[in-house]
Amino acid sequence: MPDINALLWPRHVALIGASPDLDSLRGRITHTLVSHPFAGQITPVTRSHAEVMGRTAYPSIAALPEPPQLAVLIVPAQYIPQELERCALAGVKAAVVLSSGFAEAPGDSGASLQREIAAIARRYDLAVIGPNAEGFANTAAALCPTFSPALEAGARPLLPGGPERGQVTVLAQSGGIGFSFFDHGRAKELAFRYVVTTGNEACLETMDIAEFVLAEGKTQALILLLEDIKNPATLRRVAEQALRAGVPIITAKIGRSEAGVRAAASHTAALAGAYDAYRAMFERYGLIEGFDIDEMIDLAGAFLACRGRLPAGKRVAICTASGGGGGWMADTCAAAGLEVPVLDADTRARLDLHLPAYGTSQNPVDATAQAVHKIGYAGLARLVIDSPTIDGLILVVTARSAKNLARQRADLEALVATAAKPILMWSYTLPAASSITLVRDMGYALITDIRNCARAFAAMADYRTLRERFLKPIEVRPSMPAERAAATAALAGGEPVLCEWEARPLLAAYGINSLAGTLATSADAAVAAAAAIGGPVALKVQSPDIVHKTEAGAVLINVASPSAVRSGYGKIVAAATDRLPSARIRGVLVQPMAAPGQEVILGIKRDATFGPMLLVGLGGVNVEVLSDVVLSPLPLAADAARGLLSRLKGARLFAAHRGRPPRDVEALVDVIERLARLAADFAAEIAEIDLNPVIVHAQGEGVSIVDALVVRRGVGAPAPASFT
Amino acid sequence: MPDINALLWPRHVALIGASPDLDSLRGRITHTLVSHPFAGQITPVTRSHAEVMGRTAYPSIAALPEPPQLAVLIVPAQYIPQELERCALAGVKAAVVLSSGFAEAPGDSGASLQREIAAIARRYDLAVIGPNAEGFANTAAALCPTFSPALEAGARPLLPGGPERGQVTVLAQSGGIGFSFFDHGRAKELAFRYVVTTGNEACLETMDIAEFVLAEGKTQALILLLEDIKNPATLRRVAEQALRAGVPIITAKIGRSEAGVRAAASHTAALAGAYDAYRAMFERYGLIEGFDIDEMIDLAGAFLACRGRLPAGKRVAICTASGGGGGWMADTCAAAGLEVPVLDADTRARLDLHLPAYGTSQNPVDATAQAVHKIGYAGLARLVIDSPTIDGLILVVTARSAKNLARQRADLEALVATAAKPILMWSYTLPAASSITLVRDMGYALITDIRNCARAFAAMADYRTLRERFLKPIEVRPSMPAERAAATAALAGGEPVLCEWEARPLLAAYGINSLAGTLATSADAAVAAAAAIGGPVALKVQSPDIVHKTEAGAVLINVASPSAVRSGYGKIVAAATDRLPSARIRGVLVQPMAAPGQEVILGIKRDATFGPMLLVGLGGVNVEVLSDVVLSPLPLAADAARGLLSRLKGARLFAAHRGRPPRDVEALVDVIERLARLAADFAAEIAEIDLNPVIVHAQGEGVSIVDALVVRRGVGAPAPASFT
């Protein structure tokens, strides 16, 4: 195992490519490295100078009297492999490769150099970040092997002074953006523990660093900029570890659009998985998605300030001296999915004693400037915070000058020390730097963007709910040996595609029952089967070679008379053979017409990064055109399936409407749970499953699976093109 | 006409309630007023002091040797009417009433005082803002009659130094929020002309000030915080005036949610119209909606920097030295509705000459730090800006330190002076104050929020498109005298509700033709009418007293045989009479069943603030549940109707789909245009119109109006409850 401790906590660091020239990147990193009060040793390595910035330089790593734990390399790409090997031979345990010109460059020479780096790291068990990285910062050690201007020793110390506070760690492939979180967050008085940028990730990935950081237990919030995930299992592991520890992961994904994917590919040679699949992972594991640097910093700041008392629900009280500010915040909270309920009568009566006639205690509580002047922000909040109608509070303040807040310091500190519910502050005026420090020292989060404030409250409530569900014993039903055995048997054949009739035993193995039906291999048999059904029927050619039956004219519905069944049989078999003369026809499936209900599409598809994902979408022509589809990783317990369905934009279509009873959602949840379990158990054997349509009938009347198709993995010929 | 010039540009100001006590609001406003270098005269009026802050004080306004143009009043509410009248009698032309305790307080005494203020202002033709206002700032005159801490004379001058730049004016009812725009914007080096806060608006409204400001012609962008609109005609006039002048209005509406409406009502006694109607007004008149102070400031800053060269379309090039930053910006642009196309081959070839192998010219153009260091931001932008594939450019920069930008100043200034397309800068690092000043002095907008940057580009493109359409000769078809005459005749009766049959002549007057049909007043006549139609028919009882026919059982569809028509006739007439024995039955409408198509609901409804609005929604059970409805003010030309339809979430339902031809959108547009014209021409006579459903058939096959209902205004009994 590469030693990440040697990377982040070395006692001795060698800088290979050190330079005194402050106009060069080499000089800038040398200067940044030596100008922070790092307690360990820093040794420049360069052939051009005997001394760099007051430190003795050595011509090569081998020449050092003592081997350093960490080597920082900033020499041209083509020299990196040999230098890295020299480091390993000299006893170095970890390296940061800052040079560019590897897999992100066109042609194979850079990629080949990068493969060499990976091989050397493996061979010598080195902890390597890069190449094409911007380095890292460990603020507690005052160690900053990076040329990021944000980490130049300067006006602002690496860590805020004042009371000890929760710490945030930033992990990013992109150096520019990674360090900009520090830049923005430090101005908001956030305490950063590490900022680590990993570049092309030839060896260590952000996820490896995340595991180290979580195990260390000194980080209370993670900011994660994702370009790609090389190993989805690590993401799952990290996400679960973080959830258990209650460390929120605030993440932004680059590559949400076609142009973004294009950029990521050229920039760090990332092959981004589908954004839909990432979103499904985020929803499942409670990763909080951010879309702007300040938004993510504000989210992290809110979580740090409110840890231990995240909101139990989404009901928020707003206390304000500015009527306009309170109204605006109320609208913004509603848009973020929060409730702003009228407060209970007791709370209002207590408030009304303090408010002038032109204030209001309803919610937003517009106390007016006069009352706030008298009882202070804390006095106002204390009157409201224990109301049973709310889960937390947003204080609308003006932090323009610190004077007013400083006067209320003791009172505000006492409030936050005892409040069982979270309190966020939104300042509509631009806060002075001294206000930001003061508010953070008092233990509050101060947010200036109104949307970020409401979003932070909502995200904290969502996170708490999801985490509490996660910490409960897992409800995923284990598959029975009999289920596995039956499915294994159903998969024994060598066909790459199973048509509906062939898919039935596989689905049935896990208790997923298709609509009744008979496979007829002659027109006579079809007529007999239809007679047995006794109403209009559907006729469908069954062939593993014809995936798009309807388009091939190989399906007839609402066939009512025996003569129509007879002629229909011949017609659709002819149409199928016409479409593909070599098609192997298994027969014609004769089925009753399904009762009406809400059409749903249900399936398993494979994401390039995350593997099998369950897909649910709303069918029916209107909703199909609107592409209302959601994904989930596997496995998927019934509870999670219910949550998944509620994420559909048209989820209301399942509810009762104008006298129509509600749909049988529980029956659908049952099928989803079984399908997800089947796909998870046989992830190596099954590529895709398509149940389309599934008709969800009225409550208590179940679902009808009207058509099915299974595409297998690693069997016979390549599967036909994706059918969803 | 009240003299707004006397309000904003007085030569002499009296402060009634002046005080030397800096701990009081009175003292703070006195101090703010006298400490700015206002060139005119400021006279304190107070009975308690002979001199206040070095200026001779007078015991009453009448005692002043010369009458001031403007009086600023900050005395208890109950004294305000008499003081205001004294001012008027002394020759004052304008007043700012800062005191609270008027219509925003519960009970009638405050409201009654406010009515007195309004009456006095009318009587003496005074230009009055307030009560419950926070005053205003006129930066050019250095006149700040406000107690807002944001306007205390201090570190930052009221106006930025440096080259003259475009100016923004802020208008708000809310003082706290109004001045916070100044606070946030001034830190971003925006030049403000006026900040005017109007409080309860007993007399002048923000819209009146807006008219003055637009006529003055010195303001290039308006920020407007809306709580309510007392006179929608003024909003229209202001919006049109601003569009003609090319002054964008960036607006936030308070009262978008139930809690927000509650807050606005208690705060400024505002009765907010429906937010949907406001949104329709914004869309129609190109008002740009903002949702956060910094977002609105960033939008204003972008418009000011890019005026004269707003983007002609939504294709954007992204130039960056940070790969991660470029990818993130590409995603954010896509999410904002922008396109990030791959650049044309010529541009790429030019770029490739300057990029190292690990850069890319596709778009985002990742030039790498190395190339940007060599050719500069301007050099890079110049290689891209003239590409025919893009409408503008976003430069991803790091403005952390001003040094680097200062070195490139001449080049960047030359670029912006000659570029025909807009260039926005996004800095992912937090810019130093000196960077902000420098970038703004060079003529660029510098945005640090990635979403605000993409949004600003998109908003500028939308604004330009909308404005160019607006400036074209108006395409609203005038109604013919024959149309008006026929409609007037159709409205001659005294009924408050017109059932479908009765609504037909009115609709037909404007060329809106319902589905064919015959009114049968006997079962025999119904059978004969059905026979004449010759297929299955619909039977619908016609009664002005039964609005909900279907719920009353007074409708039958798909009636196929003569006997079924006969029995159906009796059945539905009985059902109608059963529901309401007093119902006047006009007969039974016998109609063919309409051909299938996309169901739409179409109507006119009245908004409490804006009057008649046209409503279009997608019908069909799925889409109805999803409430996909949009509104538009009247009148509505065909072009605007097309735009309106494109705003439906399910607009794609009109397009061709799986072999089905596209719907006849032009026929629908024609009906919309006629309906809107009818409703506009007869706004005084018609309260609501409901065409539901309208079935839009395949292209070239028109629409079928299957049902109709008209509710009239000011006729007979009150209309039944709204039916949409």
Side-chain angles (χ1 to χ4, degrees), chain A residues 106 184 255 257 262 331 357 363 428, chain B residues 106 184 255 257 262 331 357 363 428:
Chain A
H184 287 239
S257 65
R262 210 159 61 210
D331 286 337
N363 192 21
Y428 53 89
Chain B
H184 287 239
S257 66
R262 210 158 63 211
D331 286 338
N363 191 20
Y428 52 91

Side-chain angles (χ1 to χ4, degrees), chain B residues 351-546:
Chain B
L351 274 165
D352 285 338
L353 295 177
H354 299 275
L355 305 191
Y358 54 97
T360 168
S361 59
Q362 46 186 16
N363 191 20
V365 177
D366 182 358
T368 78
Q370 185 187 322
V372 170
H373 188 75
K374 231 165 43 192
I375 61 175
Y377 290 125
L380 179 60
R382 202 172 279 115
L383 288 168
V384 174
I385 192 78
D386 293 324
S387 161
T389 52
I390 55 138
D391 301 306
L393 194 150
I394 293 176
L395 262 179
V396 177
V397 305
T398 164
R400 192 168 190 282
S401 127
K403 223 167 57 185
N404 185 27
L405 290 165
R407 210 171 32 226
Q408 305 181 40
R409 178 168 190 158
D411 215 13
L412 281 164
E413 282 179 340
L415 172 67
V416 82
T418 55
K421 297 177 190 172
I423 302 174
L424 294 179
M425 285 190 187
W426 172 56
S427 173
Y428 52 91
T429 52
L430 204 62
S434 52
S435 302
I436 300 174
T437 308
L438 174 63
V439 170
R440 186 66 70 183
D441 281 350
M442 293 191 297
Y444 290 87
L446 179 67
I447 300 180
T448 58
D449 183 302
I450 191 169
R451 281 180 300 188
N452 291 357
C453 186
R455 169 92 209 280
F457 195 100
M460 292 192 298
D462 284 339
Y463 181 81
R464 175 167 169 175
T465 304
L466 186 133
R467 180 163 183 260
E468 284 174 357
R469 200 167 60 209
F470 174 84
L471 293 178
K472 271 193 247 161
I474 291 177
E475 313 130 52
V476 175
R477 194 179 351 162
S479 298
M480 299 289 140
E483 289 176 319
R484 288 177 189 269
T488 304
L491 285 165
E495 288 292 339
V497 172
L498 305 182
C499 65
E500 182 182 357
W501 183 253
E502 294 164 329
R504 285 177 171 233
L506 176 65
L507 296 169
Y510 274 66
I512 304 166
N513 299 309
S514 302
L515 196 61
T518 305
L519 187 72
T521 52
S522 70
D524 284 344
V527 171
I533 288 167
V537 295
L539 304 176
K540 302 187 284 190
V541 170
Q542 296 297 298
S543 164
D545 303 315
I546 296 179

Side-chain angles (χ1 to χ4, degrees), chain A residues 398-402 405 427 429-435, chain B residues 149-152 182-183:
Chain A
T398 164
R400 194 168 187 281
S401 128
L405 291 164
S427 174
T429 51
L430 203 62
S434 52
S435 302
Chain B
L151 268 298
E152 281 166 14
F182 178 85
D183 211 23

Side-chain angles (χ1 to χ4, degrees), chain A residues 485-571:
Chain A
T488 304
L491 286 165
E495 288 292 338
V497 171
L498 306 182
C499 64
E500 181 182 359
W501 183 254
E502 294 163 328
R504 284 176 173 235
L506 176 64
L507 297 169
Y510 273 66
I512 304 166
N513 298 308
S514 301
L515 196 61
T518 306
L519 188 71
T521 51
S522 70
D524 284 344
V527 170
I533 288 167
V537 295
L539 303 176
K540 302 189 283 192
V541 170
Q542 296 296 299
S543 163
D545 303 314
I546 296 180
V547 169
H548 299 285
K549 290 192 292 291
T550 305
E551 286 79 345
V555 172
L556 285 173
I557 60 170
N558 271 320
V559 186
S561 69
S563 65
V565 170
R566 181 173 306 280
S567 69
Y569 182 95
K571 195 170 135 194

Side-chain angles (χ1 to χ4, degrees), chain B residues 191-203:
Chain B
F192 288 84
R193 185 162 180 85
Y194 305 107
V195 179
V196 184
T197 73
T198 51
N200 287 7
E201 301 192 337
C203 314

Side-chain angles (χ1 to χ4, degrees), chain A residues 54-67:
Chain A
R55 318 216 169 192
T56 306
Y58 292 81
S60 86
I61 188 83
L64 268 66
E66 297 266 330

